[in-house]
């Protein structure tokens, strides 16, 4: 990853330790060089873990005269004294934010207008997610944030959600978002449903990777919109649990696992790369339901190669009806097909689709 400069706090100098005629020393900036992927498709690839490098500030030295024990006219000896005050990761991110916004010409992230104000809770939530996705490595978090801002500038996923009507024959019934209210004081639970068993034509759905990414980004933006980070009033606790995350369910009922279609594989790879970069740390848990027993063994074997944090988020279930038991806080509100007593997912939210007759006419033209 290309290195980018990271700001370091100014040197703190004790005036009593320096001769009155000495000049204050100056500092030099240092440079150094996502996280569990929030999205995957059939037979998901194991996500890459972020680099664990840390940013090490440089030592700043200044010299002070030392009194001689021999005579008053003796030549003073030089002594080095270190005074370095390193700003926290969040402060460093905020310092870099104005230049990132200027370079990318993009200030919006997940509905939040970013501002270099540590008291602006929504901004700190966004920045904290990018920091956590990079193990608090400020330099790498800045690089990823810059890429994500550029992507949003080019893709404009919010417009995909509000203005674009997708092809029903290709994407209809494949994705829904359900919001489950929680007791006062708790953040509402948001579940994104990906119903891959509803795919009618793999080539039509996954063949145009860029179009699939646009549809999937619109669905993700719908989930993020419901998360409503711009209205958040409490910061993510330092080194504590992030309450601003969502659940994803991938339903593989009637999906064949015997052969991975090339178009599905290409779409899966591109989606993982894009969403791990553009939507870090928005996933709380991901459930793969109606997975054949033989695939359950595969997921169990994957645990040997995945980090503990990743294993905590991925849950393969052979039967969809077992899902409610895995989500005790709101499991009873899930649809009957998933072990609850609630409404069908089709009564939830989804993206905009062109009327069926418009799809037919477009095909004929």
């Amino acid at each position: 990853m290309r290195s980018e400069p990271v700001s370091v706090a100014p040197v703190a100098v004790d005036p009593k330790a320096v001769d009155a005629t000495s000049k204050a020393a100056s500092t030099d900036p240092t440079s150094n060089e996502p996280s569990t992927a929030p999205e995957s498709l059939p037979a998901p690839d194991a996500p890459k873990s972020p680099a664990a490098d840390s940013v090490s500030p440089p030592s700043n030295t200044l010299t002070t005269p030392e009194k001689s024990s021999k005579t008053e006219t003796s030549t003073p000896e030089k002594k080095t004294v270190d005074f370095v005050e390193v700003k926290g990761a969040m402060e460093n991110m905020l310092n870099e934010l104005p230049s990132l916004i200027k370079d990318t010409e993009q200030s919006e992230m997940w509905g939040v207008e970013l501002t270099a104000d540590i008291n602006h809770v929504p901004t700190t939530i966004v920045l904290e997610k990018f920091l956590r996705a990079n193990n608090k490595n400020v330099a790498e978090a800045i690089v990823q944030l810059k890429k994500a801002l550029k992507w949003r500038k080019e893709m404009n996923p919010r417009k995909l959600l509000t203005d674009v009507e997708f092809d029903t024959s290709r994407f209809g019934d494949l994705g829904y978002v359900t919001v489950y209210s929680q007791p006062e004081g708790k953040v509402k639970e948001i579940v994104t449903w990906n119903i891959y068993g509803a795919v009618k034509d793999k080539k039509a759905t996954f063949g145009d990777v860029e179009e699939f990414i646009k549809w999937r980004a619109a669905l993700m933006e719908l989930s993020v919109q419901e998360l409503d980070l711009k209205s958040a009033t409490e910061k993510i606790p330092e080194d504590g649990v992030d309450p601003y995350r969502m659940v994803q369910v991938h339903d593989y009922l009637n999906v064949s696992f015997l052969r991975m279609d090339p178009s599905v594989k290409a779409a899966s790879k591109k989606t993982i790369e894009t969403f791990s970069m553009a939507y870090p740390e928005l996933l709380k848990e991901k459930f793969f339901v109606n997975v054949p027993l033989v695939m359950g063994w595969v997921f169990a074997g994957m645990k040997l190669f995945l980090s503990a944090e990743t294993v905590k988020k991925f849950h393969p279930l052979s039967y969809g009806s077992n899902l409610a038991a895995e989500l005790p806080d709101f499991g009873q509100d899930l649809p009957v097909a998933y072990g609850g007593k609630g409404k069908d997912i089709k009564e939830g939210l989804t993206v905009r689709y062109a009327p069926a007759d418009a799809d037919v006419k477009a095909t004929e033209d």
Side-chain angles (χ1 to χ4, degrees):
M1 187 174 290
R2 183 173 298 177
S3 300
E4 292 196 7
V6 178
S7 301
V8 176
V11 174
V13 181
D14 184 352
K16 295 181 180 180
V18 185
D19 184 83
T21 60
S22 298
K23 294 183 178 181
S26 61
T27 60
D28 294 323
T30 184
S31 61
N32 194 12
E33 266 284 70
S35 78
T36 302
E39 166 65 19
S40 61
L41 296 173
D45 298 327
K48 295 182 179 179
S49 298
D53 299 334
S54 60
V55 179
S56 301
S59 293
N60 296 274
T61 62
L62 47 92
T63 59
T64 61
E66 187 178 83
K67 292 183 179 181
S68 171
S69 59
K70 295 181 181 181
T71 64
E72 293 182 359
T73 58
S74 299
T75 302
E77 296 179 359
K78 301 294 182 181
K79 180 180 179 181
T80 61
V81 184
D82 292 341
F83 290 99
V84 179
E85 180 185 351
V86 182
K87 289 185 178 179
M90 181 60 67
E91 286 81 357
N92 277 319
M93 291 287 287
L94 288 166
N95 283 345
E96 294 294 326
L97 191 56
S99 62
L100 289 177
I101 292 174
K102 181 179 179 181
D103 291 345
T104 60
E105 299 181 340
Q106 174 71 19
S107 60
E108 178 273 334
M109 177 65 68
W110 308 334
V112 175
E113 280 297 326
L114 302 176
T115 177
D117 179 1
I118 197 168
N119 294 314
H120 188 242
V121 173
T123 294
T124 65
I125 290 173
V126 172
L127 298 185
E128 178 65 20
K129 287 181 179 292
F130 278 88
L131 283 168
R132 291 191 177 197
N134 292 277
N135 288 341
K136 296 301 182 77
N137 184 309
V138 176
E140 292 189 354
I142 289 172
V143 171
Q144 183 177 352
L145 177 57
K146 187 172 184 178
K147 289 181 178 178
L149 287 169
K150 284 184 176 180
W151 180 82
R152 291 188 75 81
K153 175 69 175 179
E154 297 168 0
M155 182 64 73
N156 199 348
R158 298 177 78 188
K159 187 174 182 179
L160 292 176
L161 174 61
T162 59
D163 297 356
V164 176
E165 293 184 334
F166 293 93
D167 188 335
T168 306
S169 64
R170 297 167 66 183
F171 305 113
D173 295 331
L174 267 60
Y176 296 91
V177 173
T178 307
V179 180
Y180 297 98
S181 300
Q182 294 295 292
E184 186 175 352
K186 286 190 175 183
V187 178
K188 58 186 175 182
E189 295 286 352
I190 300 169
V191 180
T192 302
W193 306 86
N194 295 273
I195 315 300
Y196 293 117
V199 174
K200 302 175 182 65
D201 185 330
K202 291 180 181 178
K203 186 175 181 179
T205 299
F206 304 109
D208 186 337
V209 175
E210 291 305 317
E211 190 64 19
F212 177 80
I213 292 294
K214 289 179 179 179
W215 169 80
R216 189 60 190 84
L219 187 65
M220 188 67 179
E221 285 296 311
L222 179 57
S223 301
V224 172
Q225 177 178 281
E226 291 302 316
L227 195 57
D228 195 21
L229 294 179
K230 68 180 183 296
S231 301
T233 58
E234 295 185 14
K235 296 182 179 181
I236 298 175
E238 185 175 356
D239 300 322
V241 176
D242 179 356
Y244 305 106
R245 297 179 296 170
M246 303 172 288
V247 173
Q248 286 187 1
V249 178
H250 289 200
D251 192 337
Y252 295 96
L253 185 65
N254 299 324
V255 173
S256 173
F257 284 85
L258 298 179
R259 178 177 175 274
M260 172 68 88
D261 187 280
S263 61
V264 176
K265 187 174 182 180
S268 175
K269 183 174 183 295
K270 181 65 175 179
T271 305
I272 290 173
E273 291 175 353
T274 301
F275 280 49
S276 61
M277 174 276 296
Y279 298 99
E281 293 298 307
L282 287 172
L283 176 68
K284 179 164 64 175
E285 292 183 287
K286 177 179 286 188
F287 294 90
F288 303 88
V289 304
N290 291 315
V291 176
L293 289 174
V294 62
M295 291 303 296
W297 287 102
V298 172
F299 277 100
M302 287 172 60
K303 293 183 179 180
L304 300 175
F305 307 98
L306 299 175
S307 68
E309 288 303 312
T310 300
V311 170
K312 290 179 182 178
K313 295 182 179 181
F314 284 71
H315 310 283
L317 301 174
S318 297
Y319 302 100
S321 58
N322 292 338
L323 181 60
E326 299 291 327
L327 299 167
D329 289 343
F330 60 99
Q332 63 179 4
D333 297 325
L334 295 182
V336 175
Y338 298 100
K341 300 178 180 179
K343 299 178 180 180
D344 189 272
I345 60 173
K346 292 185 178 181
E347 295 185 45
L349 307 171
T350 191
V351 301
R352 292 163 56 91
Y353 291 103
D357 57 346
D359 293 339
V360 174
K361 183 177 180 179
T363 303
E364 293 175 347
D365 293 341

